[in-house]
Amino acid sequence: MSDTLPVTYLARHGETAWSLSGHHTGVTDLPLTDRGEQDARRLGERFRGLTFAKVFSSPLQRAVRTCELAGFGAAAEIDPDLVEWNYGKYEGRTSAEIHAERADWDLFRDGCPEGETPAVIGARADRVVSRVRAVQGNVLLFSSGHILRVVTARWLGLEPGAARHFLLSTTSLSELGYEHARSRPVIRLWNDTRHVERSG
């Protein structure tokens, strides 16, 4: 791999009450838990010595606060395309609750009633990828799990539904880049949470 090619770093927001309980959190603007805030500070330690040409964040407070605690609040630009998937009628519900009514439901295939389809979120992800690739230098993104997974699929030239294969934990760090040339996009690092201490 060439160190001269830019890297796009993906930071998923810290823990919220709903990420902990498994409730779908799209546009509901929840704060971080105390542990989420602690983990966001630890995430910031991973970026020591790195420089970024641009930092972008979702406008939702869980991403903005993670960005601030990681040390990039002053540098960040808000990007509405980084907002989490709009779950429509499934907002605030767990997968188990949804599957009890619709056993074969798959977010990445079906989307959500009165929410976003995979095609719509895929178009948002494409705008993010285009914006990032226009930057000369490394980029750092703070956002939520499902939209970052779709951004990754589109980075690789895959359909939005391929995002189902890319699991992301809260306060995780991932890296997208290239192998040898910009025509060969790759995942350099995925779902790294070594900076986060867990007990129990």
Side-chain angles (χ1 to χ4, degrees):
M1 289 186 291
S2 171
D3 290 332
T4 62
L5 291 168
V7 178
T8 297
Y9 295 78
L10 310 180
R12 187 182 171 198
H13 63 75
E15 177 189 272
T16 69
W18 280 11
S19 70
L20 187 60
S21 63
H23 290 78
H24 283 84
T25 320
V27 297
T28 303
D29 204 8
L30 295 181
L32 300 180
T33 63
D34 288 345
R35 185 165 74 174
E37 294 213 349
Q38 292 170 1
D39 290 346
R41 291 186 186 94
R42 292 188 184 112
L43 175 63
E45 296 171 6
R46 293 290 301 276
F47 297 119
R48 284 184 184 163
L50 296 175
T51 58
F52 300 96
K54 290 280 188 180
V55 179
F56 296 107
S57 175
S58 159
L60 296 174
Q61 66 172 311
R62 57 190 184 271
V64 170
R65 185 65 174 150
T66 301
C67 177
E68 290 171 350
L69 292 171
F72 295 96
E77 298 177 32
I78 297 299
D79 184 350
D81 285 325
L82 284 172
V83 170
E84 179 59 304
W85 200 311
N86 184 338
Y87 301 119
K89 285 190 170 182
Y90 292 161
E91 181 78 8
R93 305 187 70 194
T94 65
S95 292
E97 290 170 345
I98 298 166
H99 285 132
E101 296 176 3
R102 190 175 170 189
D104 65 344
W105 176 71
D106 183 317
L107 172 67
F108 295 104
R109 181 192 65 214
D110 306 320
C112 302
E114 298 182 18
E116 287 181 299
T117 65
V120 169
I121 199 170
R124 283 209 280 121
D126 285 347
R127 292 194 294 271
V128 172
V129 170
S130 294
R131 200 167 292 126
V132 165
R133 287 183 170 158
V135 175
Q136 299 302 310
N138 295 342
V139 176
L140 174 57
L141 305 180
F142 288 89
S143 190
S144 301
H146 285 139
I147 179 61
L148 289 176
R149 291 165 67 176
V150 177
V151 165
T152 299
R154 299 304 296 143
W155 180 271
L156 299 173
L158 304 174
E159 291 301 310
R164 67 172 53 87
H165 302 296
F166 305 128
L167 186 66
L168 273 182
S169 302
T170 52
T171 337
S172 60
L173 175 63
S174 302
E175 298 175 14
L176 306 178
Y178 306 93
E179 185 178 22
H180 305 308
R182 287 175 179 265
S183 59
R184 297 179 64 179
V186 297
I187 296 173
R188 292 170 43 107
L189 178 73
W190 190 254
N191 200 36
D192 187 346
T193 57
R194 72 182 107 158
H195 49 281
V196 176
E197 297 174 4
R198 289 285 181 255
S199 59

